[in-house]
Amino acid sequence: MDTMYIALNVLALLIIIGVLIVMQKKHVSFTKRVFTGMGLGIVLGAILQWLYGSGSEVLNGTLDWYRIVGSGYVRLLMVIVVPLVMVSIIRAIINLEKTKELGKMAGWIIGILITTTAVAAVIGIASALLFNLNADDIEMGQAEQDRAASIEQRYESIQGQSTPQRILNFIPSNIFLDMTGERPTSVIAVVLFSVIVGIAVLGVRRKEPEHAEMFVKIVNAIYAVVMRIVTLVLRLTPFGVLALMANMVASTNFAGIVELGKFVIASYLALGVMFVIHLVLVGVFGLNPFTYLRKVIPVLGFAFTSRSSAGTIPLNIQAQRESLGVNEGVANMSASFGATMGQNGCAGIYPAMLAVMIAPTAGIDPLSPGFLIQLVLITAISSFGVAGVGGGATFAAIIVLSSMGLPVGLAGLLISIEAFIDMGRTALNVNGSMISGTITSRILGKLNMKKFNEKTAIVENTSI
């Protein structure tokens, strides 16, 4: 009987996918299809949880099948991250008029990411204080105890690793290992290697132009193929978002969300305020924030459902280049850097809020100026090397809490609402990386204003 119900649930997903395919054939815009998939996914997930109940065998079996579409799509995105980043950055550097432009690009991007993370930490602190969040108010059940033990075990594996040592991890020692995404900092390592290759090509061009020309032709050919692969994968976005959202809603612990409602509201208020600050920054640099918002919403929608900053890199780059008019090199760097450093949500707001919540349990006054200043500085500095996948926020929390002398295990108190909050954090992370690319391109005079002001949404002008 369970098998029959599972089959019917899978059929329901396939029917909705069929509807999305019909919309595509009728040339309904990419943005509308993405949000239709998201909306239908929410409805489907809610119905499944209502019919079968959280944790039932039928629901678990159904979601296993749904993951083929949802998680499968994320995997396809992840598999093109390395070739896309590598060939795009090499190509961008080859096309630079002056090599010193590279330093300016990287400097502005990193500066904006880290500065906004510090601001995000301040917002997180303010929200925690406004709602008077306190870890003592949360009852620690078995799930929270298990999570605490897991976090403490993870802390032991990184204990004693200083910030310089974490920064040292950015430098690749085995580029083929980093191409597999083995390390949390693999994307940055690939970026650095690609930069070295690009600079080397510029040197070869001066001494052996014929060899450089041959290499450039090869890179351009590979770039054309990679971008075609990106286009093919991104066509699947509405289906991936549909399955991811259905899976998320069907497996969400709504009782936990209601029980910890104050923490959820405080978190999303902080995320919302920081998002508004992002839009204000866009306006400060002479750009229309509403135009920007309209073009990035589909990317943020996918980031929200996938909870993967790294998985959003291809869509992020495509949106910056094709819709916002950001320079190719800047778009690649900002998307890559933003997936592993300066994440406003996971490495800024979240660890700062946790520290304020946990401080009273250690006899520390969270209103102490010394505590607050130290917390903001540590949060900004430790945001280097946060993995752009699920779990990155936990890593950031471990680093911040341990640096502040607070018990890291208490970070497991919010396990029941972790996934729900992580969705908003990831969307803010990705928006932060897109803001850094847009503003950097604007500062360096490389932003295509005509493309930015076009009334088209993300990748609408491609063959998707």
Side-chain angles (χ1 to χ4, degrees), residues 94 125 129 191 208 214 229 240 242 266 317 345 347 360 367 378 385 390 412 420 438 462:
I94 290 172
I125 291 170
L129 293 175
V191 169
E208 300 175 282
M214 181 183 299
I229 295 173
L242 164 68
I317 293 174
L367 292 173
I378 288 177
F420 185 70
T438 304
T462 70

Side-chain angles (χ1 to χ4, degrees), residues 232-415:
L232 292 174
V233 174
L234 293 187
R235 283 180 175 174
L236 303 174
T237 301
F239 316 130
V241 167
L242 164 68
L244 287 167
M245 188 56 80
N247 215 309
M248 185 279 296
V249 173
S251 58
T252 294
N253 181 0
F254 289 103
I257 292 175
V258 172
E259 183 180 345
L260 298 174
K262 184 169 70 168
F263 299 89
V264 173
I265 294 171
S267 296
Y268 271 93
L269 176 64
L271 293 170
V273 170
M274 193 61 208
F275 188 79
V276 171
I277 291 175
H278 283 174
L279 297 181
V280 170
L281 281 174
V282 172
V284 167
F285 284 90
L287 302 172
N288 188 325
F290 297 105
T291 299
Y292 168 85
L293 181 61
R294 185 173 64 252
K295 295 188 174 188
V296 302
I297 277 182
V299 183
L300 302 184
F302 172 73
F304 186 84
T305 54
S306 69
R307 296 172 53 204
S308 173
S309 297
T312 311
I313 287 178
L315 200 57
N316 186 336
I317 293 174
Q318 189 86 335
Q320 288 195 56
R321 289 176 57 250
E322 301 297 334
S323 188
L324 294 173
V326 175
N327 170 267
E328 180 181 344
V330 174
N332 282 281
M333 279 196 177
S334 62
S336 304
F337 285 177
T340 47
M341 67 171 68
Q343 295 188 348
N344 291 185
C346 289
I349 289 175
Y350 181 65
M353 290 184 71
L354 276 180
V356 172
M357 288 170 50
I358 294 172
T361 67
I364 298 174
D365 180 10
L367 292 173
S368 166
F371 172 83
L372 295 176
I373 293 172
Q374 183 184 9
L375 177 57
V376 172
L377 292 176
I378 288 177
T379 301
I381 294 172
S382 64
S383 66
F384 283 90
V386 176
V389 295
T394 301
F395 178 80
I398 290 173
I399 299 301
V400 172
L401 294 178
S402 62
S403 300
M404 296 294 293
L406 299 172
V408 298
L410 290 181
L413 285 172
L414 303 178
I415 180 62

